[in-house]
PDB file of all heavy atoms in Angstrom:
ATOM      1  N   THR N  21       6.482   1.898  -6.781  1.00  0.00           N
ATOM      2  CA  THR N  21       6.446   3.291  -7.398  1.00  0.00           C
ATOM      3  C   THR N  21       7.644   3.715  -8.100  1.00  0.00           C
ATOM      4  O   THR N  21       7.496   4.416  -9.147  1.00  0.00           O
ATOM      5  CB  THR N  21       6.196   4.295  -6.214  1.00  0.00           C
ATOM      6  OG1 THR N  21       7.278   4.082  -5.192  1.00  0.00           O
ATOM      7  CG2 THR N  21       4.894   4.129  -5.519  1.00  0.00           C
ATOM      8  N   GLN N  28       8.779   7.292 -16.485  1.00  0.00           N
ATOM      9  CA  GLN N  28       8.244   8.571 -16.918  1.00  0.00           C
ATOM     10  C   GLN N  28       9.292   9.697 -17.022  1.00  0.00           C
ATOM     11  O   GLN N  28       9.316  10.529 -17.914  1.00  0.00           O
ATOM     12  CB  GLN N  28       7.112   9.048 -16.039  1.00  0.00           C
ATOM     13  CG  GLN N  28       5.810   8.337 -16.249  1.00  0.00           C
ATOM     14  CD  GLN N  28       4.795   8.620 -15.194  1.00  0.00           C
ATOM     15  OE1 GLN N  28       5.057   9.386 -14.292  1.00  0.00           O
ATOM     16  NE2 GLN N  28       3.626   7.914 -15.259  1.00  0.00           N
ATOM     17  N   SER N  32      18.833  11.624 -18.545  1.00  0.00           N
ATOM     18  CA  SER N  32      19.895  11.389 -19.444  1.00  0.00           C
ATOM     19  C   SER N  32      21.013  10.569 -18.817  1.00  0.00           C
ATOM     20  O   SER N  32      21.836   9.970 -19.492  1.00  0.00           O
ATOM     21  CB  SER N  32      20.461  12.734 -19.987  1.00  0.00           C
ATOM     22  OG  SER N  32      20.953  13.460 -18.883  1.00  0.00           O
ATOM     23  N   GLY N  33      21.069  10.609 -17.485  1.00  0.00           N
ATOM     24  CA  GLY N  33      22.016   9.846 -16.741  1.00  0.00           C
ATOM     25  C   GLY N  33      21.553   9.855 -15.314  1.00  0.00           C
ATOM     26  O   GLY N  33      20.775  10.611 -14.870  1.00  0.00           O
ATOM     27  N   PHE N 120      16.888  15.901  -8.573  1.00  0.00           N
ATOM     28  CA  PHE N 120      17.314  14.907  -7.589  1.00  0.00           C
ATOM     29  C   PHE N 120      16.106  14.297  -6.936  1.00  0.00           C
ATOM     30  O   PHE N 120      14.991  14.933  -6.913  1.00  0.00           O
ATOM     31  CB  PHE N 120      18.253  15.474  -6.561  1.00  0.00           C
ATOM     32  CG  PHE N 120      17.628  16.538  -5.722  1.00  0.00           C
ATOM     33  CD1 PHE N 120      17.110  16.263  -4.466  1.00  0.00           C
ATOM     34  CD2 PHE N 120      17.564  17.845  -6.166  1.00  0.00           C
ATOM     35  CE1 PHE N 120      16.579  17.238  -3.685  1.00  0.00           C
ATOM     36  CE2 PHE N 120      16.948  18.847  -5.336  1.00  0.00           C
ATOM     37  CZ  PHE N 120      16.450  18.590  -4.156  1.00  0.00           C
ATOM     38  N   ALA N 133      13.845  15.331   7.251  1.00  0.00           N
ATOM     39  CA  ALA N 133      14.807  15.995   6.479  1.00  0.00           C
ATOM     40  C   ALA N 133      14.545  15.928   4.991  1.00  0.00           C
ATOM     41  O   ALA N 133      14.861  16.843   4.177  1.00  0.00           O
ATOM     42  CB  ALA N 133      16.221  15.401   6.770  1.00  0.00           C
ATOM     43  N   PHE N 143      29.048  24.954   8.081  1.00  0.00           N
ATOM     44  CA  PHE N 143      30.158  25.852   7.761  1.00  0.00           C
ATOM     45  C   PHE N 143      30.772  26.407   9.100  1.00  0.00           C
ATOM     46  O   PHE N 143      30.055  26.941   9.951  1.00  0.00           O
ATOM     47  CB  PHE N 143      29.676  26.968   6.918  1.00  0.00           C
ATOM     48  CG  PHE N 143      30.813  27.852   6.410  1.00  0.00           C
ATOM     49  CD1 PHE N 143      31.812  27.354   5.587  1.00  0.00           C
ATOM     50  CD2 PHE N 143      30.874  29.209   6.810  1.00  0.00           C
ATOM     51  CE1 PHE N 143      32.808  28.186   5.062  1.00  0.00           C
ATOM     52  CE2 PHE N 143      31.902  30.037   6.358  1.00  0.00           C
ATOM     53  CZ  PHE N 143      32.894  29.519   5.477  1.00  0.00           C
ATOM     54  N   PRO N 156      12.792  18.435  -4.323  1.00  0.00           N
ATOM     55  CA  PRO N 156      13.197  17.200  -5.025  1.00  0.00           C
ATOM     56  C   PRO N 156      12.104  16.864  -6.063  1.00  0.00           C
ATOM     57  O   PRO N 156      10.993  17.420  -6.076  1.00  0.00           O
ATOM     58  CB  PRO N 156      13.200  16.105  -4.023  1.00  0.00           C
ATOM     59  CG  PRO N 156      12.173  16.575  -2.925  1.00  0.00           C
ATOM     60  CD  PRO N 156      12.191  18.185  -2.964  1.00  0.00           C
ATOM     61  N   LEU N 169      18.917   0.080  10.584  1.00  0.00           N
ATOM     62  CA  LEU N 169      19.269   1.345  11.230  1.00  0.00           C
ATOM     63  C   LEU N 169      19.690   1.007  12.657  1.00  0.00           C
ATOM     64  O   LEU N 169      18.927   0.386  13.347  1.00  0.00           O
ATOM     65  CB  LEU N 169      18.144   2.313  11.170  1.00  0.00           C
ATOM     66  CG  LEU N 169      18.473   3.770  11.530  1.00  0.00           C
ATOM     67  CD1 LEU N 169      19.468   4.350  10.471  1.00  0.00           C
ATOM     68  CD2 LEU N 169      17.249   4.585  11.597  1.00  0.00           C
ATOM     69  N   LEU N 174      17.722   5.144  15.420  1.00  0.00           N
ATOM     70  CA  LEU N 174      16.258   5.066  15.363  1.00  0.00           C
ATOM     71  C   LEU N 174      15.628   6.027  16.387  1.00  0.00           C
ATOM     72  O   LEU N 174      14.673   6.800  16.129  1.00  0.00           O
ATOM     73  CB  LEU N 174      15.858   3.583  15.641  1.00  0.00           C
ATOM     74  CG  LEU N 174      14.458   3.217  15.318  1.00  0.00           C
ATOM     75  CD1 LEU N 174      14.253   3.195  13.797  1.00  0.00           C
ATOM     76  CD2 LEU N 174      14.208   1.774  15.835  1.00  0.00           C
ATOM     77  N   LEU N 186       3.809  16.674  19.030  1.00  0.00           N
ATOM     78  CA  LEU N 186       3.544  17.711  20.029  1.00  0.00           C
ATOM     79  C   LEU N 186       3.110  19.041  19.328  1.00  0.00           C
ATOM     80  O   LEU N 186       2.338  19.856  19.930  1.00  0.00           O
ATOM     81  CB  LEU N 186       4.834  18.040  20.823  1.00  0.00           C
ATOM     82  CG  LEU N 186       5.345  16.776  21.710  1.00  0.00           C
ATOM     83  CD1 LEU N 186       6.500  17.193  22.506  1.00  0.00           C
ATOM     84  CD2 LEU N 186       4.159  16.328  22.659  1.00  0.00           C
ATOM     85  N   THR N 195      -0.789   7.531  19.448  1.00  0.00           N
ATOM     86  CA  THR N 195      -0.127   6.315  18.989  1.00  0.00           C
ATOM     87  C   THR N 195       1.231   6.102  19.671  1.00  0.00           C
ATOM     88  O   THR N 195       1.611   4.918  19.895  1.00  0.00           O
ATOM     89  CB  THR N 195       0.146   6.468  17.487  1.00  0.00           C
ATOM     90  OG1 THR N 195      -1.101   6.811  16.819  1.00  0.00           O
ATOM     91  CG2 THR N 195       0.645   5.178  16.897  1.00  0.00           C
ATOM     92  N   GLN N 205      12.075  -0.690  18.993  1.00  0.00           N
ATOM     93  CA  GLN N 205      12.813  -1.789  18.388  1.00  0.00           C
ATOM     94  C   GLN N 205      11.840  -2.897  17.808  1.00  0.00           C
ATOM     95  O   GLN N 205      12.182  -3.549  16.888  1.00  0.00           O
ATOM     96  CB  GLN N 205      13.763  -2.537  19.378  1.00  0.00           C
ATOM     97  CG  GLN N 205      14.943  -1.697  19.737  1.00  0.00           C
ATOM     98  CD  GLN N 205      15.917  -1.685  18.610  1.00  0.00           C
ATOM     99  OE1 GLN N 205      15.786  -0.946  17.651  1.00  0.00           O
ATOM    100  NE2 GLN N 205      16.964  -2.553  18.701  1.00  0.00           N
ATOM    101  N   ILE N 277      11.356  27.113  29.499  1.00  0.00           N
ATOM    102  CA  ILE N 277      11.353  28.552  29.241  1.00  0.00           C
ATOM    103  C   ILE N 277       9.980  29.112  29.020  1.00  0.00           C
ATOM    104  O   ILE N 277       9.532  30.088  29.476  1.00  0.00           O
ATOM    105  CB  ILE N 277      12.363  28.938  28.117  1.00  0.00           C
ATOM    106  CG1 ILE N 277      13.725  28.693  28.648  1.00  0.00           C
ATOM    107  CG2 ILE N 277      12.159  30.376  27.667  1.00  0.00           C
ATOM    108  CD1 ILE N 277      14.823  28.803  27.483  1.00  0.00           C
ATOM    109  N   LYS N 284       2.760  28.661  30.957  1.00  0.00           N
ATOM    110  CA  LYS N 284       2.104  27.539  30.251  1.00  0.00           C
ATOM    111  C   LYS N 284       2.704  26.241  30.921  1.00  0.00           C
ATOM    112  O   LYS N 284       3.890  25.967  30.868  1.00  0.00           O
ATOM    113  CB  LYS N 284       2.317  27.543  28.742  1.00  0.00           C
ATOM    114  CG  LYS N 284       1.695  26.375  28.078  1.00  0.00           C
ATOM    115  CD  LYS N 284       2.015  26.404  26.563  1.00  0.00           C
ATOM    116  CE  LYS N 284       1.252  25.365  25.779  1.00  0.00           C
ATOM    117  NZ  LYS N 284       1.580  24.013  26.175  1.00  0.00           N
ATOM    118  N   HIS N 300      19.215  10.618  30.093  1.00  0.00           N
ATOM    119  CA  HIS N 300      19.616  11.893  30.532  1.00  0.00           C
ATOM    120  C   HIS N 300      21.087  12.213  30.337  1.00  0.00           C
ATOM    121  O   HIS N 300      21.934  11.318  30.521  1.00  0.00           O
ATOM    122  CB  HIS N 300      19.302  11.995  32.104  1.00  0.00           C
ATOM    123  CG  HIS N 300      19.321  13.391  32.611  1.00  0.00           C
ATOM    124  ND1 HIS N 300      20.442  14.034  32.989  1.00  0.00           N
ATOM    125  CD2 HIS N 300      18.289  14.251  32.798  1.00  0.00           C
ATOM    126  CE1 HIS N 300      20.123  15.268  33.374  1.00  0.00           C
ATOM    127  NE2 HIS N 300      18.829  15.370  33.260  1.00  0.00           N
ATOM    128  N   GLN N 301      21.427  13.458  29.831  1.00  0.00           N
ATOM    129  CA  GLN N 301      22.775  13.742  29.560  1.00  0.00           C
ATOM    130  C   GLN N 301      23.289  14.794  30.615  1.00  0.00           C
ATOM    131  O   GLN N 301      22.527  15.584  30.996  1.00  0.00           O
ATOM    132  CB  GLN N 301      22.874  14.421  28.154  1.00  0.00           C
ATOM    133  CG  GLN N 301      22.355  13.683  27.059  1.00  0.00           C
ATOM    134  CD  GLN N 301      23.230  12.499  26.614  1.00  0.00           C
ATOM    135  OE1 GLN N 301      24.418  12.585  26.863  1.00  0.00           O
ATOM    136  NE2 GLN N 301      22.659  11.466  26.025  1.00  0.00           N
ATOM    137  N   TRP N 312      25.370  29.986  23.934  1.00  0.00           N
ATOM    138  CA  TRP N 312      24.571  31.231  23.682  1.00  0.00           C
ATOM    139  C   TRP N 312      25.129  31.907  22.353  1.00  0.00           C
ATOM    140  O   TRP N 312      24.347  32.365  21.566  1.00  0.00           O
ATOM    141  CB  TRP N 312      24.710  32.162  24.913  1.00  0.00           C
ATOM    142  CG  TRP N 312      24.087  33.409  24.707  1.00  0.00           C
ATOM    143  CD1 TRP N 312      24.712  34.639  24.523  1.00  0.00           C
ATOM    144  CD2 TRP N 312      22.690  33.739  24.741  1.00  0.00           C
ATOM    145  NE1 TRP N 312      23.803  35.636  24.390  1.00  0.00           N
ATOM    146  CE2 TRP N 312      22.506  35.106  24.489  1.00  0.00           C
ATOM    147  CE3 TRP N 312      21.581  32.950  24.853  1.00  0.00           C
ATOM    148  CZ2 TRP N 312      21.254  35.711  24.436  1.00  0.00           C
ATOM    149  CZ3 TRP N 312      20.271  33.525  24.777  1.00  0.00           C
ATOM    150  CH2 TRP N 312      20.149  34.899  24.563  1.00  0.00           C
ATOM    151  N   PRO N 331       5.220  25.392  20.534  1.00  0.00           N
ATOM    152  CA  PRO N 331       3.898  24.959  20.233  1.00  0.00           C
ATOM    153  C   PRO N 331       2.875  25.490  21.353  1.00  0.00           C
ATOM    154  O   PRO N 331       3.102  25.377  22.499  1.00  0.00           O
ATOM    155  CB  PRO N 331       3.874  23.445  20.247  1.00  0.00           C
ATOM    156  CG  PRO N 331       5.043  23.112  21.084  1.00  0.00           C
ATOM    157  CD  PRO N 331       6.071  24.255  21.042  1.00  0.00           C
ATOM    158  N   LEU N 349      20.593  29.262  30.908  1.00  0.00           N
ATOM    159  CA  LEU N 349      21.293  28.607  32.034  1.00  0.00           C
ATOM    160  C   LEU N 349      20.317  27.982  32.965  1.00  0.00           C
ATOM    161  O   LEU N 349      20.419  26.779  33.372  1.00  0.00           O
ATOM    162  CB  LEU N 349      22.152  29.684  32.787  1.00  0.00           C
ATOM    163  CG  LEU N 349      22.989  29.112  33.957  1.00  0.00           C
ATOM    164  CD1 LEU N 349      23.914  28.050  33.555  1.00  0.00           C
ATOM    165  CD2 LEU N 349      23.728  30.263  34.629  1.00  0.00           C
ATOM    166  N   SER N 356      18.913  19.466  34.437  1.00  0.00           N
ATOM    167  CA  SER N 356      19.776  18.614  35.256  1.00  0.00           C
ATOM    168  C   SER N 356      18.979  17.980  36.386  1.00  0.00           C
ATOM    169  O   SER N 356      19.273  16.871  36.844  1.00  0.00           O
ATOM    170  CB  SER N 356      20.906  19.517  35.882  1.00  0.00           C
ATOM    171  OG  SER N 356      21.605  20.094  34.875  1.00  0.00           O
TER     172      SER N 356
END
Side-chain angles (χ1 to χ4, degrees):
T21 52
Q28 278 172 6
S32 59
F120 63 96
F143 185 63
L169 193 64
L174 197 67
L186 299 183
T195 306
Q205 287 288 81
I277 289 171
K284 182 181 183 298
H300 196 274
Q301 305 284 336
W312 177 253
L349 178 61
S356 305

